[in-house]
Amino acid sequence: MAGKIEVAAAQVASNVRVAEGIFLLKLRGDYSAAPGQFYMLRAWDRNPLLSRPLSVFNLDGDGISFLYAVRGRGTGLLSRLSPGNEIGITGPLGNGWPRRDGRIALVGGGLGIAPLFYAAGVFSGSDAYLGYPDEPYLVDEFARVAARVMVSSDTGAGGTKGFITDIFDPDGYDACYACSPRPMLAALDRICSRAGVPLFVSLEERMACGVGACLGCAVRTVHGYARVCRDGPIFPSSEVMWNG
Ligand SMILES: Cc1cc2nc3c(=O)[nH]c(=O)nc-3n(C[C@H](O)[C@H](O)[C@H](O)COP(=O)(O)OP(=O)(O)OC[C@H]3O[C@@H](n4cnc5c(N)ncnc54)[C@H](O)[C@@H]3O)c2cc1C
Ligand code: FES
């Protein structure tokens, strides 16, 4: 895990719409995070009550960025931020992707591409498989950091028409890191276990405290319940109970 957890006021450098309902928020300053970690963000006073978790999309000399979809009130308020606005952030949180030698495949579905971009930059030589519901976005940016980029879209608006799991072949990879809605992760679990390739998945659960205190984000694993915020969000796929 990178860095000690800090609660800070952060200044918005930019907040750009990259696709319909999808924004890239950049905060100025000096932050730390390992690929796969997340921060809790808060751009409001009391409503909503809780801060919202977002994966680190990228970290560079100028600041930290987050890629997010507008879903409800919290992300709706984030989407209205302008350069110079201040927000509260807490992090870095969670465990991050494991460090593995060899060829890594990064597989993301929808907003699941968010925790993979920074990983592609840090784990050099890895390939990115990006599955979009419709028009792809940020593909050129991924192409600058990943060894190869493969794209699919459900509608055929870009890349191969269909799911990214239709074109992902785990053969030849030493590990696969994935983030997406749960049904796609369960499909990847079957694909990777058949091929004998270790799969690590980033799980998303609704979060309250974000630091392991409330058990609100518990998921079932072969070792019993685990907290996504503290024990994850990244888990070996072989430890996740995919049926419950
Ligand atoms: C560790 C972690 C990392 C995340 N990283 C990202 C990211 O990089 N980019 C991104 O866009 N989103 C990410 N999310 C999801 C994001 O936190 C939620 O979309 C956000 O909290 C919704 O807040 P809201 O107030 O806008 O919506 P709400 O009003 O709280 O909810 C709107 C709708 O979204 C659903 N929802 C809310 N939170 C989740 C969730 N965690 N999983 C599934 N459905 C949910 C609700 O059930 C509801 O239907 C992450 C979640 C976790 C746990
Ligand atoms: S959100 Fe409170 S324990 Fe995870």
Side-chain angles (χ1 to χ4, degrees):
M1 188 195 290
K4 85 175 173 26
I5 298 172
E6 295 198 30
V7 182
Q11 197 183 56
V12 174
S14 59
N15 190 27
V16 179
R17 179 187 171 282
V18 296
E20 183 63 39
I22 296 174
F23 290 77
L24 186 60
L25 171 68
K26 184 157 188 178
L27 305 175
R28 230 186 290 281
D30 189 18
Y31 300 95
S32 69
Q37 286 192 296
F38 67 98
Y39 274 74
M40 298 292 281
L41 280 74
R42 190 173 187 88
W44 50 86
D45 186 15
R46 292 195 188 149
N47 178 17
L49 184 65
L50 304 169
S51 301
R52 297 297 192 246
L54 292 181
S55 303
V56 174
F57 178 75
N58 199 20
L59 192 68
D60 60 27
D62 300 331
I64 192 165
S65 53
F66 302 92
L67 179 72
Y68 64 96
V70 175
R71 299 234 187 269
R73 181 159 167 82
T75 47
L77 289 169
L78 288 180
S79 73
R80 287 185 225 150
L81 292 170
S82 304
N85 287 163
E86 274 207 351
I87 71 165
I89 66 167
T90 304
L93 301 167
N95 54 1
W97 301 109
R99 297 255 167 187
R100 284 281 174 121
D101 292 330
R103 284 188 73 210
I104 310 286
L106 307 169
V107 185
L111 256 291
I113 69 170
L116 302 181
F117 184 81
Y118 184 32
V122 172
F123 307 137
S124 53
S126 41
D127 294 339
Y129 292 80
L130 312 175
Y132 297 86
D134 196 10
E135 195 78 50
Y137 48 85
L138 300 176
V139 174
D140 291 346
E141 285 75 2
F142 267 94
R144 281 200 276 277
V145 290
R148 291 191 311 150
V149 179
M150 271 62 64
V151 174
S152 73
S153 58
D154 303 355
T155 58
T160 307
K161 187 173 191 298
F163 298 140
I164 199 69
T165 42
D166 299 340
I167 58 172
F168 172 60
D169 180 355
D171 254 7
Y173 288 106
D174 296 289
C176 173
Y177 301 166
C179 184
S180 74
R182 202 171 162 105
M184 185 184 130
L185 292 181
L188 277 171
D189 178 68
R190 292 189 291 275
I191 293 168
C192 287
S193 53
R194 267 200 305 269
V197 173
L199 169 66
F200 296 86
V201 294
S202 181
L203 298 183
E204 278 193 13
E205 284 297 320
R206 302 218 62 178
M207 286 187 181
C209 71
V211 292
C214 72
L215 302 182
C217 63
V219 288
R220 280 183 69 216
T221 73
V222 294
H223 306 300
Y225 281 99
R227 296 158 302 180
V228 169
C229 65
R230 189 68 186 243
D231 308 313
I234 287 140
F235 295 88
S237 180
S238 54
E239 295 184 4
V240 176
M241 303 289 277
W242 290 108
N243 297 324

